[in-house]
């Protein structure tokens, strides 16, 4: 049984269309899948339809952008009903902020030698959400960086010339929208924020305090030590456990949907039951 509760499609910064992502996951033996695109539920209907064909248990998902203590956190929502008005309105606000920030990043990137970046990123994203991943492709295509990691490191991360900050949702808002829509709120990739241990624990405490349900323990890039530490911290803060690869593209050859270690406790993630709702 392979479970993957964190993946991306062309509805945000994934390379595969929702149905193709589901087919790819099926090919790798995934039996329970959530599609969790950045600040959008636009891919869920197609993914759910494809999942039925492949006999995959499909769970509605989203990865909400949150600003907390002037830092960005990612909150994965799982198992919610996708048409709840509070969630719909929240997502609309985040999407407007994405467009505003993308235009600002376009202006900044012009000064680093990437011309017309907003319009080009908009075209790359199609009907989906624009993310820094789209800008990274342009930075590389224009020869301003030699690969994606280099583009983020020198141009697109906070403090670099192509970055523009955004005022995302608050932690309370993001968790509130997910709960209103009867879903579970999961703190994504707790080791993915370049936080010190102290800041990671502060974020966990704030997330638990705000009513968060679970944290991701096993991801596509976590070490055994990190997974054991995250499992201990989940228990310290009274949080359940989730697992997800954060798969975006086949080019990320080190990530395969569903190819994750089991939880250190051996228990199944509490959030994984198909179509589970609050
Ligand atoms: P955004 O939400 O628009 O700020 O974009 C965030 C996305 O950029 C993340 O979800 C990742 O997919 C991608 N990203 C961030 N940092 C890196 C990095 N160092 N290398 C590759 N992708 C990254
Ligand atoms: Mn992403
Ligand atoms: Mn993320
Ligand atoms: Mn993600």
């Amino acid at each position: 049984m392979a479970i993957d509760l964190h993946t991306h499609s062309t509805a945000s910064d994934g390379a595969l269309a929702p149905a193709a992502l589901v087919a790819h996951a099926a090919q790798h033996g995934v039996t329970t899948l959530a599609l969790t695109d950045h600040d959008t539920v636009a891919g869920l209907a197609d993914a759910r339809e494809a999942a039925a064909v492949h006999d995959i248990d499909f769970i509605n998902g989203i990865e909400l952008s949150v600003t907390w203590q002037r830092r960005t956190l990612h909150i994965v929502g799982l198992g919610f009903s996708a048409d709840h008005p509070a969630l719909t309105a929240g997502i609309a606000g985040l999407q407007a902020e994405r467009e505003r920030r993308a235009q600002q990043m376009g202006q900044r990137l012009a000064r680093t030698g990437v011309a017309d970046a907003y319009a080009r990123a908009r075209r790359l994203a199609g009907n989906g959400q624009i993310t820094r991943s789209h800008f990274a492709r342009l930075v590389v295509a224009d020869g301003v960086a030699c690969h994606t990691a280099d583009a983020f490191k020198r141009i697109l991360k906070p403090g670099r010339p192509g970055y523009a900050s955004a005022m995302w949702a608050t932690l309370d808002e993001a968790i509130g929208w997910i709960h209103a829509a009867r879903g579970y709120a999961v703190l994504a990739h707790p080791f993915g924020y370049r936080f010190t241990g102290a800041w990671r624990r502060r974020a966990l405490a704030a997330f638990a305090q705000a009513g968060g349900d679970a944290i991701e323990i096993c991801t596509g890039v976590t070490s055994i030590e990190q997974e054991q530490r995250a499992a201990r911290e989940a228990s310290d803060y009274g949080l359940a456990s989730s697992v997800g690869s954060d798969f975006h593209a086949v080019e990320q050859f080190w990530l395969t949907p569903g190819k994750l270690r089991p939880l250190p406790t051996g228990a199944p993630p509490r959030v994984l039951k198909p179509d589970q709702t609050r």
Side-chain angles (χ1 to χ4, degrees):
M1 190 162 84
I3 296 151
D4 198 326
L5 304 179
H6 188 153
T7 62
H8 293 272
S9 76
T10 48
S12 65
D13 57 354
L16 301 175
L21 181 267
V22 171
H24 184 66
Q27 211 174 7
H28 289 281
V30 171
T31 51
T32 302
L33 178 72
L35 175 63
T36 56
D37 275 306
H38 297 286
D39 305 320
T40 181
V41 294
L44 298 184
D46 283 1
R48 179 173 289 280
E49 199 175 308
V53 173
H54 292 283
D55 203 21
I56 285 179
D57 288 323
F58 185 75
I59 296 176
N60 282 349
I62 191 167
E63 183 170 17
L64 292 173
S65 306
V66 161
T67 301
W68 170 78
Q69 303 276 312
R70 302 171 71 194
R71 291 158 171 81
T72 299
L73 295 179
H74 285 173
I75 305 300
V76 162
L78 294 174
F80 50 82
S81 71
D83 57 0
H84 189 282
L87 183 63
T88 304
I91 293 171
L94 287 171
Q95 295 184 353
E97 180 64 355
R98 272 200 177 276
E99 285 299 310
R100 186 203 62 75
R101 182 188 64 149
Q103 290 174 17
Q104 198 177 1
M105 286 183 65
Q107 289 163 8
R108 296 200 176 162
L109 283 165
R111 288 181 235 135
T112 75
V114 185
D116 204 23
Y118 170 72
R120 291 164 67 203
R122 187 63 273 166
R123 277 198 296 278
L124 271 182
N127 295 324
Q129 295 307 304
I130 301 188
T131 71
R132 281 186 291 154
S133 306
H134 297 97
F135 287 113
R137 283 187 234 165
L138 300 176
V139 169
V140 173
D142 288 11
V144 174
C146 45
H147 49 72
T148 306
D150 183 38
F152 274 95
K153 193 170 168 205
R154 290 192 300 107
I155 312 287
L156 294 169
K157 74 175 193 184
R160 300 297 174 178
Y163 180 78
S165 63
M167 276 295 272
W168 301 125
T170 67
L171 200 46
D172 286 330
E173 285 170 338
I175 294 172
W177 302 333
I178 294 165
H179 284 175
R182 302 181 68 77
Y184 289 89
V186 180
L187 179 67
H189 44 62
F191 291 94
Y193 302 105
R194 296 170 190 274
F195 287 176
T196 60
W199 270 102
R200 192 185 61 258
R201 285 187 290 277
R202 242 171 255 156
L204 281 167
F207 176 73
Q209 179 68 37
D213 299 293
I215 62 171
E216 285 180 356
I217 308 274
C218 302
T219 79
V221 297
T222 37
S223 66
I224 293 181
E225 290 72 25
Q226 287 176 328
E227 292 167 4
Q228 287 170 342
R229 188 177 311 171
R232 273 200 305 276
E233 288 174 346
S235 127
D236 291 347
Y237 291 95
L239 295 163
S241 313
S242 188
V243 295
S245 62
D246 207 3
F247 175 87
H248 286 71
V250 178
E251 285 69 38
Q252 293 171 296
F253 55 83
W254 56 95
L255 293 185
T256 307
K259 202 164 162 247
L260 300 160
R261 271 184 288 271
L263 291 172
T265 56
R270 182 172 75 89
V271 290
L272 67 73
K273 277 193 250 146
D275 286 315
Q276 184 177 18
T277 54
R278 293 182 80 78

